[in-house]
């Protein structure tokens, strides 16, 4: 691996799904097929809840928090499915699972879905049904680094994943789902137009005060915490259950595998730290990406 411009490319393997590089044609074809199938066949219901994100922007964490919140009255802490199942198996990816098992549309309980599909490409029924959408965003520098690590891990057989090349393609908007800024701005604008239907969250803010944003999330998806629950520590219990430290150390997330897309569960847990990009991007890289984002987001009203 060429690391001449990477500040500290230590051997920490993790993410980079089929959107930053050119080396995952079979996997990309599977996602394309799934997206098309969903667009043509998925019929959303008003009580469906969609957790949306650009890959490696806090998806796994958001799934865990949402699932634990929505099912908290059904499971005792020691019995929560998150202790034995990956968050990705508790809340399925629309573009991965629906075309393989369309019947889950009727059986999903709670009705929580996840997707990386851009807002403009979502199945029409999701928009028309008025169901709730939660979008989580992350600093693009951290999202890119996490994406690259993920790609390294899931494609360990491929020696051609070069950091500088991946960065160049990310900056040019070469991405399977959509360029970062288009993906981001689609949901951002929707949240401004439909604030009662689209909740926009920042990964960094959630990390800083998880309990506060968990309560906002719970309220939005229709599972608000009562004052009694807050006094009894239910909110903090969920925060602790879904923490990176706890989830990453569970056996299922250390050794389990998601057969549907052939990915080891531990590939979804690396650091989860805010600002980790500083260990990988040079100052020139960071400045370049910041400038691109500033230009792309001009006039949007959003600032990191």
């Amino acid at each position: 691996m060429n690391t001449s411009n990477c500040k500290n490319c230590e051997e920490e393997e993790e993410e980079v799904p089929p959107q930053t590089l050119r080396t995952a044609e079979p996997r990309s074809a599977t996602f394309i097929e799934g997206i098309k199938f969903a667009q043509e066949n998925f019929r959303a219901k008003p009580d469906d809840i969609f957790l949306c994100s650009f890959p490696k922007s806090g998806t796994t964490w958001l799934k865990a928090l949402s699932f634990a919140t929505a099912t908290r009255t059904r499971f005792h802490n020691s019995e929560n499915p998150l202790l034995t199942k990956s968050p990705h198996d508790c809340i399925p990816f629309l573009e991965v699972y629906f075309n393989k098992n369309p019947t889950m549309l009727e059986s999903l309980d709670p009705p929580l879905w996840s997707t990386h599909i851009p807002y403009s490409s979502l199945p029409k029924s999701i928009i028309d049904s008025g169901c709730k959408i939660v979008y989580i965003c992350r600093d693009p520098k951290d999202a890119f680094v996490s994406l690259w690590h993920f790609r390294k891990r899931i494609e360990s057989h491929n020696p051609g994943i070069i950091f500088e090349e991946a960065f160049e393609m990310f900056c040019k908007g070469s991405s399977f789902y959509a360029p970062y800024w288009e993906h981001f701005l689609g949901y951002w604008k929707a949240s401004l137009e439909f604030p009662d239907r689209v909740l926009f969250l920042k990964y960094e803010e959630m990390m800083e005060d998880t309990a506060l944003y968990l309560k906002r999330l719970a309220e939005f998806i229709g599972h608000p915490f009562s004052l009694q629950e807050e006094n009894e520590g239910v909110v903090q219990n969920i925060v602790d259950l879904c923490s990176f430290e706890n989830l990453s150390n569970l056996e299922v997330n250390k050794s389990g595998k998601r057969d549907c897309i052939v990915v080891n569960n531990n590939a979804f847990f690396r650091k989860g730290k805010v600002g980790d990009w500083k260990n990988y991007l040079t100052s020139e890289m960071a400045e370049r990406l910041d400038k691109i984002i500033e230009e792309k987001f001009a006039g949007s009203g959003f600032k990191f």
Side-chain angles (χ1 to χ4, degrees):
M1 179 179 66
N2 182 356
T3 60
S4 58
N5 293 326
C6 176
K7 287 182 64 178
N8 182 28
C9 295
E10 65 233 31
E11 291 304 315
E12 296 176 1
E13 314 204 337
E14 217 45 47
E15 145 147 8
V16 180
Q19 59 240 35
T20 303
L21 296 177
R22 60 169 181 258
T23 54
E25 288 79 4
R27 196 183 301 273
S28 297
T30 298
F31 284 117
I32 291 173
E33 176 186 335
I35 292 172
K36 288 183 176 179
F37 186 85
Q39 289 173 335
E40 296 170 359
N41 298 283
F42 186 78
R43 299 293 177 265
K45 297 175 292 185
D47 62 343
D48 282 338
I49 300 165
F50 279 83
L51 310 178
C52 308
S53 62
F54 187 84
K56 304 316 294 177
S57 295
T59 309
T60 306
W61 188 34
L62 179 61
K63 282 188 177 187
L65 289 170
S66 300
F67 183 82
T69 298
T71 63
R72 66 183 184 274
T73 61
R74 291 164 50 187
F75 304 109
H76 186 272
N77 288 344
S78 62
E79 301 171 343
N80 195 291
L82 287 168
L83 297 174
T84 56
K85 295 173 63 177
S86 163
H88 299 293
D89 289 323
C90 291
I91 300 180
F93 276 109
L94 177 66
E95 59 269 37
V96 175
Y97 287 94
F98 179 62
N99 66 325
K100 297 179 182 296
N101 182 17
T103 60
M104 69 165 43
L105 179 62
E106 304 299 329
S107 61
L108 201 61
D109 183 25
L112 288 163
W113 294 88
S114 175
T115 186
H116 290 317
I117 301 175
Y119 185 81
S120 61
S121 298
L122 288 173
K124 189 172 183 294
S125 68
I126 295 178
I127 308 301
D128 294 344
S129 69
C131 62
K132 297 295 183 70
I133 293 174
V134 180
Y135 187 83
I136 186 169
C137 75
R138 189 181 187 184
D139 183 319
K141 298 187 290 295
D142 275 330
F144 162 71
V145 169
S146 184
L147 197 59
W148 175 69
H149 277 294
F150 184 75
R151 185 62 175 276
K152 280 207 310 174
R153 176 163 291 187
I154 66 175
E155 296 186 16
S156 57
H157 63 282
N158 187 341
I161 301 175
I162 300 173
F163 186 83
E164 293 81 6
E165 180 183 359
F167 180 76
E168 186 68 25
M169 296 183 75
F170 188 85
C171 289
K172 290 181 177 179
S174 180
S175 165
F176 173 62
Y177 284 99
Y180 173 89
W181 43 89
E182 289 184 12
H183 199 288
F184 184 114
L185 288 173
Y187 285 96
W188 170 246
K189 292 176 181 178
S191 73
L192 297 179
E193 186 174 0
F194 309 109
D196 59 325
R197 293 198 286 114
V198 183
L199 175 65
F200 200 95
L201 299 171
K202 296 181 182 180
Y203 180 87
E204 292 76 16
E205 290 181 345
M206 289 184 68
M207 287 289 288
E208 187 172 343
D209 194 340
T210 306
L212 172 65
Y213 286 96
L214 177 58
K215 287 188 285 186
R216 291 185 184 177
L217 172 65
E219 181 78 29
F220 183 78
I221 65 176
H223 296 274
F225 294 101
S226 66
L227 181 59
Q228 180 179 346
E229 285 182 308
E230 291 189 42
N231 291 336
E232 292 175 350
V234 174
V235 175
Q236 190 58 48
N237 287 341
I238 291 178
V239 171
D240 294 340
L241 170 67
C242 300
S243 69
F244 179 88
E245 291 73 16
N246 185 62
L247 290 180
S248 63
N249 283 301
L250 294 175
E251 187 59 33
V252 64
N253 294 322
K254 291 195 295 184
S255 60
K257 177 178 291 188
R258 300 183 62 230
D259 293 333
C260 192
I261 54 173
V262 195
V263 176
N264 292 328
N265 288 338
N266 64 7
F268 297 97
F269 297 89
R270 185 178 67 91
K271 284 186 177 181
K273 300 292 186 183
V274 173
D276 184 51
W277 62 266
K278 296 175 184 177
N279 295 315
Y280 298 90
L281 299 180
T282 63
S283 58
E284 291 77 15
M285 285 178 162
E287 290 172 7
R288 178 185 175 190
L289 189 50
D290 283 342
K291 184 177 180 180
I292 292 173
I293 294 302
E294 182 180 356
E295 292 174 351
K296 298 295 184 181
F297 285 16
S300 69
F302 184 90
K303 291 186 180 298
F304 279 104

